[in-house]
Amino acid sequence: MTISLSKGQRIDLTKSNPGLAKAIIGLGWDTNKYSGGHSFDLDASAFLLHADNKAKDIEDFIFYNNLVGANGSVQHTGDNRTGDGDGDDEQIKVDFSKIPAHIHRVGIAVTIHDAVSRNQNFGQVSNAFVRLVDEMTNREILRYDLGEDFSIETAVVICELYRDSQGQEWKFQAVGSGFQGGLQALCKNYGLDAQ
């Protein structure tokens, strides 16, 4: 049975799902009808965060131009430029056993490509969700539907995976925090310069 989370909720991932070693984080969305003349291109990304909750360099940023990071433990499966169809629009795979000990948290975010020049924002996006699936069994463990809380934001931190205080188990937090300024603002939040 899938657990549905709401904003701010946390759940034990590996402790309550023994044997969970590899997860697929599926992200999906629909775009509302509007006549801006441009298609929507939403992009998923992952930030590999150290003890201070910051990424240290570009290698800690997994996205459509850097598909694999942290010894292959986090992998982006590729850019979907339309978001058409049902199900996951983009996926990020995580192998918990391979994540280096110095990585304490993995932030998962979605941004709108060229949002400012296309005059687009998350107020024009609906049915956005993240789901976490056990890659070995294909069982959906949890789902977080973002709802319609956004208006002018161009980037959203959807969720974070983080180690427990002993560093042995992984937990999941539904974040749902929006940013203006797109990818640049998001990178700055996580300690990177996206110039």
Side-chain angles (χ1 to χ4, degrees):
M1 189 175 97
T2 301
I3 297 172
S4 280
L5 299 177
S6 51
K7 184 173 179 168
Q9 281 190 296
R10 301 166 188 254
I11 185 174
D12 283 326
L13 261 185
T14 53
K15 195 175 196 175
S16 54
N17 295 281
L20 176 64
K22 295 180 178 182
I24 298 170
I25 299 168
L27 301 138
W29 52 79
D30 295 321
T31 52
N32 302 335
K33 300 287 182 255
Y34 90 118
S35 56
H38 299 283
S39 60
F40 268 79
D41 179 10
L42 274 68
D43 296 313
S45 55
F47 292 86
L48 307 174
L49 308 176
H50 298 247
D52 62 356
N53 287 334
K54 299 291 183 190
K56 298 303 178 195
D57 57 45
I58 195 68
E59 297 303 313
D60 292 337
F61 178 36
I62 313 305
F63 68 117
Y64 57 84
N65 276 342
N66 181 34
L67 294 174
V68 181
N71 304 333
S73 62
V74 179
Q75 177 185 352
H76 192 300
T77 62
D79 192 12
N80 173 339
R81 294 186 178 205
T82 64
D84 290 341
D86 294 330
D88 300 341
D89 292 312
E90 292 194 8
Q91 293 181 331
I92 293 172
K93 294 183 175 185
V94 177
D95 184 338
F96 294 108
S97 68
K98 287 185 178 177
I99 297 177
H102 66 273
I103 300 299
H104 290 248
R105 203 174 268 265
V106 179
I108 306 292
V110 176
T111 54
I112 301 173
H113 185 70
D114 285 341
V116 174
S117 65
R118 296 178 181 187
N119 199 25
Q120 296 172 344
N121 59 58
F122 273 95
Q124 299 158 324
V125 175
S126 57
N127 304 322
F129 68 86
V130 60
R131 65 192 196 106
L132 190 138
V133 176
D134 183 333
E135 187 176 352
M136 309 305 261
T137 64
N138 212 27
R139 179 177 69 92
E140 185 176 283
I141 295 172
L142 62 84
R143 181 181 179 98
Y144 167 42
D145 292 296
L146 266 69
E148 312 299 319
D149 295 341
F150 305 104
S151 55
I152 56 174
E153 294 84 357
T154 54
V156 177
V157 175
I158 298 203
C159 64
E160 289 186 346
L161 306 169
Y162 64 99
R163 293 183 194 269
D164 68 4
S165 57
Q166 287 79 41
Q168 304 304 311
E169 303 287 347
W170 284 88
K171 299 183 178 198
F172 178 100
Q173 180 180 4
V175 177
S177 179
F179 292 84
Q180 288 178 267
L183 187 59
Q184 198 169 353
L186 194 61
C187 285
K188 186 176 181 187
N189 174 64
Y190 281 129
L192 296 177
D193 182 2
Q195 291 299 334

